[in-house]
Amino acid sequence: MAVEIFGSQLILSYEWIIEHVEKTTTVLSKLILFRGEKVFRVSLKNRKTDGNPTLIFLVANLNKLGLRVREVTYGKEDLESSQRMKEKDIKRAKDAGESIQLFTADLTEVPIGKSTFCFWICIEGSVPAYSYHLSDRLTKEQLWSASSNSQHHVDVEFVVKDKTYSAHKAILAARSPVFSEEFTKEKTGRKDDDGPVQIIRIDDVDPASVEQFLHFVYTGEPITSTLGNTEELLKLAERYQIDTLIHLCRAALTNIDAQQMMSCMSNLNPEATTMHTEANFSDSMQYIRTDKEMEIFHDHSVSVFLCRWETVLNLTAMTPNVIIEYQNEKLFAPHLTGKILCSQHIDHPWIHLICVNHRNFGLKVAGVFGSMDYCRTWMKMKPRRADDVELFLFVAQANETFYSCNVHFRIEMTSTIENYHYEMMDTSWTTQLWQAALDQQLTDVEIFVGATKMEAHRVVLSARSPVLSVLLDNVSHVKSSIAIEKNMDVDVVKHFLKFLYTGCLEMSATNKQLLELAELYEVKTLVKICQLANCISPDVTSKLDALPTKIDVSEKPSVTFQMDLEVVKHFLEFLSTGTLDSSVSMRQLNALAEMYEVETLKQICKFDSSVSSDVDEITTFLLTPF
């Protein structure tokens, strides 16, 4: 059964280094900046019950950026795993937004001397429609440029006090039902070389707010990290019914109130019942240490993907025959190694994730974490590489015995294709303009593929393709026509057009016709995606068949033990037929028989003098994929 990656997340990483910690010391960081705003703070606070500290991660006013923290995990620099912090319930006034979040973890000992805590902060939009989404960055830049530079037949002009802003009816109507209705009516305006231009006057907000509003309409994201003059932006969003922007502005306008502050203090110090009590408790601290001001930077090319693999604990789970797909391509294969006991549970299994061909789809796997306890604890998986194929393997051993298999992977990947990466955005932006094309709303271009006709918007085609720009901008007809070679597959042309509108590809990039269209119309990012994808060799299934006969992924055991893939095949054949090839290595075969408790095969192997019961060798085999 194929398992798909079910979500990508924006995850920030932060290292907090502290020194000279004593049992009576409370350590408090300065506020940590993100996107120019002071929104995070970490601290170690002593517990009166046992004298050990509580690790605290505080989030304040992240809603001003249209964001919130989904979860926080932490680990020590010298450890190979991370733990999820517990989010405390912060009581707030009715209908108040989430302006404070508090995450804590109780430590079992005081970190003495110099210590480093590593935090992984999972960020999401403060409203559901504002989320992390894959798109060609050039789509936003090119559409916004069409407005800001008055390009590609602008037909709307906003007059705001002493400023004017150009726009396109097609984009405004697709994003706003108010504009859609307004453009069906006859309006006074003026005419220029490209035709009539409708004038919209706005006198009750500043020009900068109108510019921010139009930028969100055209790109699905704020023009700056914050929402600027949020009150005026909310007024425009409500007037023109841009739903996601309405919810973002309302969330951003939420301030920290007294009830939230008291609730937060109560969580930090359960013994305090008033702000005065909390202040007295704080005054009794012997030492508060602040470190230098820090800022968290995020590389837009880096994304983290989550995947869940559910399987039963049998031989199927022990071979890499489950394929995880990403962007319509087969790139990953998980499996386990370990001893399946008679009661159908697996003892301290090794988790494996094979990554194949990811580089050919513009991705570089930078790191993998695995979890078998519903993401409460993440294990850092160690990377290996097979010498003869483009294959990377990540392994980690669980510290428990499992009766069922529910493995989560957290895969960190870096995009190697310029401008094609994940960003926070209004997800309706990716669908509304494309839906307007499908509904033929204000479309002004006809596209023929043989006898099949599709319709599109001149501003989108011209902004996204320099070839189409030259072709369409020189035509003054009400509706232009474009003919595409009739041998082109209509479905491929449709996906090509959808990429122009949304910046996201929803079919395999290995399609030769898609590459031909991208090159013909000079769609820069799509050309890179398709050229890279068409350089690949067969998919992950073929790559697994092409594995070298031996892969040693051992590091810790002193004795290296390599498992021949041919032996594994004979082992599986024995389970099926009960016959055995006498030329097979009995030493390796016995390791398989011991691990899977195949009693008949164990008896056969006892008669071969080459059988070794070296525990180190068998343990090393548990690290080896097959």
Side-chain angles (χ1 to χ4, degrees):
M1 179 182 68
V3 182
E4 292 187 0
I5 293 176
F6 60 81
S8 63
Q9 297 184 334
L10 169 57
I11 294 186
L12 309 176
S13 60
Y14 174 68
E15 286 190 353
W16 186 39
I17 302 174
I18 54 176
E19 298 182 72
H20 311 301
V21 180
E22 301 174 2
K23 271 190 173 292
T24 55
T25 301
T26 291
V27 187
L28 181 70
S29 78
K30 288 185 178 180
L31 283 168
I32 304 164
L33 284 84
F34 175 59
R35 295 185 178 177
E37 300 292 322
K38 297 179 178 180
V39 291
F40 302 129
R41 171 168 272 169
V42 292
S43 68
L44 278 173
K45 184 181 179 71
N46 292 310
R47 301 194 299 270
K48 284 188 174 181
T49 53
D50 56 11
N52 287 329
T54 295
L55 185 63
I56 298 167
F57 191 94
L58 179 67
V59 185
N61 289 325
L62 188 59
N63 55 304
K64 306 297 183 185
L65 302 178
L67 305 171
R68 69 179 300 276
V69 172
R70 179 175 178 177
E71 67 176 31
V72 180
T73 58
Y74 80 96
K76 293 290 293 294
E77 185 182 39
D78 54 345
L79 296 180
E80 296 298 322
S81 64
S82 61
Q83 306 288 324
R84 182 193 295 175
M85 301 183 75
K86 181 179 180 181
E87 183 173 9
K88 297 291 186 178
D89 182 32
I90 302 296
K91 296 179 181 179
R92 54 185 182 268
K94 185 179 180 181
D95 299 327
E98 196 172 38
S99 53
I100 293 183
Q101 292 179 268
L102 181 66
F103 299 83
T104 65
D106 292 335
L107 305 184
T108 56
E109 60 181 7
V110 177
I112 303 299
K114 183 177 180 179
S115 297
T116 300
F117 287 94
C118 301
F119 295 90
W120 290 269
I121 310 134
C122 179
I123 302 291
E124 62 185 7
S126 58
V127 298
Y130 191 63
S131 61
Y132 208 42
H133 194 78
L134 176 65
S135 182
D136 176 12
R137 178 72 201 172
L138 289 181
T139 310
K140 300 176 182 180
E141 294 177 359
Q142 290 165 343
L143 290 178
W144 178 237
S145 178
S147 171
S148 57
N149 295 323
S150 301
Q151 297 174 326
H152 312 310
H153 299 268
V154 296
D155 48 10
V156 178
E157 190 173 86
F158 288 87
V159 179
V160 191
K161 298 179 180 178
D162 60 340
K163 295 280 188 179
T164 60
Y165 299 96
S166 299
H168 304 81
K169 287 183 179 180
I171 293 177
L172 297 177
R175 297 280 280 137
S176 161
V178 176
F179 282 129
S180 178
E181 182 179 354
E182 186 171 342
F183 295 151
T184 62
K185 304 172 184 177
E186 289 293 331
K187 292 287 183 178
T188 58
R190 62 176 175 80
K191 287 189 176 182
D192 60 16
D193 294 339
D194 291 329
V197 177
Q198 185 165 326
I199 306 298
I200 298 177
R201 298 186 182 275
I202 300 178
D203 299 319
D204 57 344
V205 298
D206 291 333
S209 297
V210 174
E211 184 180 15
Q212 291 174 336
F213 170 75
L214 289 175
H215 186 275
F216 191 90
V217 168
Y218 271 73
T219 68
E221 63 184 17
I223 198 169
T224 60
S225 58
T226 60
L227 291 169
N229 191 334
T230 313
E231 291 87 353
E232 290 196 346
L233 199 56
L234 176 59
K235 183 188 294 187
L236 290 168
E238 289 178 332
R239 179 179 302 170
Y240 295 107
Q241 297 180 25
I242 309 296
D243 290 341
T244 303
L245 186 57
I246 291 172
H247 296 308
L248 282 175
C249 289
R250 288 176 179 173
L253 285 170
T254 302
N255 295 314
I256 300 172
D257 57 32
Q259 186 172 355
Q260 288 175 313
M261 186 63 72
M262 287 295 295
S263 180
C264 184
M265 289 181 172
S266 177
N267 275 293
L268 291 174
N269 181 17
E271 299 177 3
T273 56
T274 67
M275 294 181 73
H276 179 69
T277 307
E278 176 66 22
N280 288 339
F281 178 77
S282 298
D283 292 341
S284 68
M285 297 177 186
Q286 292 190 14
Y287 186 66
I288 297 179
R289 178 182 179 84
T290 57
D291 54 11
K292 65 179 181 179
E293 193 170 80
M294 295 293 292
E295 183 168 2
I296 297 177
F297 297 96
H298 173 63
D299 183 351
H300 286 290
S301 66
V302 177
S303 299
V304 178
F305 301 83
L306 290 183
C307 173
R308 182 176 63 200
W309 172 43
E310 295 183 19
T311 186
V312 294
L313 294 177
N314 55 24
L315 286 178
T316 301
M318 313 299 282
T319 55
N321 55 10
V322 173
I323 305 300
I324 301 174
E325 293 188 355
Y326 169 75
Q327 291 294 299
N328 304 296
E329 307 297 344
K330 298 176 180 180
L331 301 186
F332 307 104
H335 71 287
L336 304 175
T337 54
K339 185 174 183 180
I340 298 181
L341 305 178
C342 57
S343 56
Q344 286 300 301
H345 60 273
I346 188 166
D347 185 30
H348 296 79
W350 282 87
I351 308 170
H352 305 248
L353 183 69
I354 298 173
C355 308
V356 182
N357 282 339
H358 49 99
R359 292 187 174 186
N360 298 101
F361 293 95
L363 300 168
K364 179 181 179 182
V365 178
V368 177
F369 283 79
S371 174
M372 296 186 76
D373 61 356
Y374 300 95
C375 306
R376 290 187 294 271
T377 303
W378 289 99
M379 298 170 288
K380 185 176 182 179
M381 301 182 69
K382 295 185 176 181
R384 303 288 188 273
R385 183 185 177 192
D387 293 330
D388 300 336
V389 294
E390 182 66 12
L391 178 147
F392 290 81
L393 170 70
F394 292 84
V395 293
Q397 186 177 30
N399 54 12
E400 299 178 32
T401 297
F402 289 91
Y403 293 82
S404 62
C405 182
N406 192 332
V407 184
H408 290 77
F409 295 101
R410 197 170 76 193
I411 309 168
E412 181 180 299
M413 290 193 283
T414 302
S415 174
T416 59
I417 298 177
E418 186 181 6
N419 297 313
Y420 196 55
H421 48 70
Y422 282 79
E423 292 181 323
M424 297 297 301
M425 66 178 71
D426 175 12
T427 52
S428 61
W429 171 83
T430 65
T431 58
Q432 288 174 336
L433 195 56
W434 174 242
Q435 189 60 47
L438 296 178
D439 295 341
Q440 299 181 12
Q441 180 185 22
L442 298 177
T443 52
D444 50 8
V445 179
E446 295 176 331
I447 300 171
F448 292 92
V449 186
T452 302
K453 184 184 80 170
M454 291 176 275
E455 298 204 9
H457 300 94
R458 181 181 301 183
V459 57
V460 176
L461 302 185
S462 297
R464 297 285 283 130
S465 163
V467 175
L468 291 173
S469 176
V470 172
L471 178 64
L472 295 173
D473 286 354
N474 291 330
V475 177
S476 58
H477 300 105
V478 175
K479 217 161 201 178
S480 305
S481 296
I482 297 174
I484 295 178
E485 291 184 22
K486 61 182 180 181
N487 62 342
M488 280 285 178
D489 187 286
V490 173
D491 192 53
V492 174
V493 176
K494 185 175 179 180
H495 279 286
F496 170 73
L497 291 174
K498 190 171 185 179
F499 184 86
L500 297 186
Y501 274 76
T502 67
C504 188
L505 185 61
E506 296 184 359
M507 70 175 299
S508 174
T510 58
N511 187 286
K512 295 293 195 300
Q513 288 190 348
L514 186 64
L515 173 58
E516 185 179 341
L517 287 169
E519 291 178 332
L520 176 63
Y521 294 108
E522 298 180 11
V523 183
K524 184 178 178 181
T525 303
L526 187 57
V527 168
K528 292 180 180 178
I529 295 170
C530 294
Q531 285 179 342
L532 194 59
N534 278 280
C535 293
I536 69 168
S537 52
D539 64 18
V540 63
T541 308
S542 302
K543 283 289 180 66
L544 292 177
D545 292 339
L547 278 172
T549 56
K550 295 183 179 182
I551 301 177
D552 176 29
V553 296
S554 171
E555 189 173 76
K556 292 182 180 179
S558 57
V559 180
T560 298
F561 182 80
Q562 296 177 322
M563 176 60 62
D564 292 345
L565 294 181
E566 192 65 27
V567 174
V568 177
K569 292 179 181 178
H570 283 291
F571 171 71
L572 296 175
E573 184 178 346
F574 177 83
L575 296 180
S576 175
T577 66
T579 60
L580 185 64
D581 189 327
S582 59
S583 65
V584 179
S585 167
M586 289 297 173
R587 186 169 66 115
Q588 294 184 17
L589 201 58
N590 183 67
L592 290 169
E594 290 283 351
M595 185 168 67
Y596 296 114
E597 295 190 345
V598 183
E599 295 297 333
T600 304
L601 186 57
K602 285 197 288 186
Q603 294 298 321
I604 295 173
C605 292
K606 283 183 180 180
F607 292 100
D608 192 287
S609 60
S610 65
V611 171
S612 169
S613 60
D614 192 312
V615 176
D616 283 335
E617 293 183 348
I618 296 175
T619 304
T620 306
F621 164 70
L622 300 185
L623 299 174
T624 307
F626 49 89

